[in-house]
Amino acid sequence: MLMLAWFFWYSCQTWTTINLRVGEIIIMATKEKDILEPSLDVLGIAPYKQKKTEEYMSSKMQEHFKAILMALRQRILEGGDKIVTHMKEEAINYPDPNDRASQEEDFRLELRTRDRERKLLKKIEESLELIREKDYGYCEVCGVEIGLRRLEARPTATLCIDCKTLDEIKEKHQKQEEEY
């Protein structure tokens, strides 16, 4: 049970209280969520309401996605500074090997999160470049519209849902073949 609470803290970055009951953990989290998968309300951006006559990826829609990507980039950069500061402040040489191992594991997870954020920053920059080139929102494989809701859920998406599904199926088969 404690491992679940520990994992939840790392995935949410912050938490307020934990109430333990027999066989059950209730965690009351703050509104701050995973930096790598934020929702629009966490970023402070309302979902886009497309007009019936509005063209897909109009300039207004592109500005909406640019605002999402810029807010996400800013959030990641701020979160990265917090991780570095936290690691510097918490660098204590514990005499107990178990405490040292726990601290090293904490640092390893923070560095892993930072690496994921670095990769996401690269994807955000690529998406911003696609907006500048007017290619954002279209599948890089088949050229079909990716879709407003999919892009709001994953602003760095470059594949439509059909191509992404095929890509995942191919990847799954390759992994299965490598195992045999």
Side-chain angles (χ1 to χ4, degrees):
M1 273 194 256
L2 287 176
M3 188 60 118
L4 177 64
W6 179 76
F7 173 75
F8 184 79
W9 181 80
Y10 269 101
S11 66
C12 291
Q13 298 295 315
T14 60
W15 52 316
T16 52
T17 59
I18 294 182
N19 297 321
L20 295 176
R21 294 184 188 161
V22 178
E24 180 180 344
I25 295 179
I26 299 173
I27 300 174
M28 298 168 59
T30 61
K31 193 169 182 170
E32 187 169 343
K33 295 187 180 180
D34 188 350
I35 292 172
L36 300 177
E37 295 190 26
S39 62
L40 290 179
D41 61 330
V42 171
L43 294 173
I45 298 173
Y48 190 81
K49 291 186 170 62
Q50 185 176 11
K51 297 179 179 89
K52 292 180 182 180
T53 59
E54 187 176 7
E55 182 180 317
Y56 183 72
M57 278 302 135
S58 64
S59 60
K60 190 175 178 185
M61 197 179 293
Q62 287 179 355
E63 287 300 317
H64 171 74
F65 286 110
K66 185 175 180 179
I68 292 172
L69 291 163
M70 298 293 278
L72 183 55
R73 181 174 68 177
Q74 184 63 32
R75 186 174 173 87
I76 290 171
L77 293 174
E78 289 170 1
D81 293 341
K82 290 177 186 175
I83 289 173
V84 171
T85 304
H86 172 71
M87 288 181 71
K88 286 179 182 177
E89 291 173 355
E90 296 295 320
I92 301 169
N93 192 9
Y94 291 107
D96 181 35
N98 291 328
D99 290 339
R100 256 194 323 262
S102 293
Q103 181 187 40
E104 288 174 12
E105 183 66 15
D106 290 347
F107 286 171
R108 186 188 68 77
L109 285 172
E110 288 180 8
L111 289 172
R112 182 175 166 208
T113 301
R114 187 68 185 138
D115 188 51
R116 289 180 62 206
E117 290 172 354
R118 180 186 53 79
K119 291 176 184 175
L120 183 56
L121 276 173
K122 183 180 177 197
K123 287 182 178 181
I124 289 170
E125 293 302 326
E126 289 170 358
S127 296
L128 288 169
E129 183 61 30
L130 287 173
I131 288 175
R132 284 195 268 316
E133 296 172 359
K134 309 281 189 219
D135 289 332
Y136 182 77
Y138 296 95
C139 180
E140 64 184 19
V141 174
C142 66
V144 171
E145 297 174 356
I146 293 175
L148 179 65
R149 297 298 164 231
R150 175 162 165 70
L151 286 171
E152 284 185 329
R154 181 149 316 267
T156 58
T158 57
L159 300 175
C160 66
I161 194 68
D162 294 332
C163 290
K164 182 64 176 172
T165 303
L166 286 172
D167 192 45
E168 289 175 353
I169 290 170
K170 288 176 187 177
E171 186 177 310
K172 182 179 176 183
H173 285 297
Q174 287 176 345
K175 283 184 182 180
Q176 287 175 350
E177 289 175 3
E178 290 173 4
E179 289 176 2
Y180 295 115

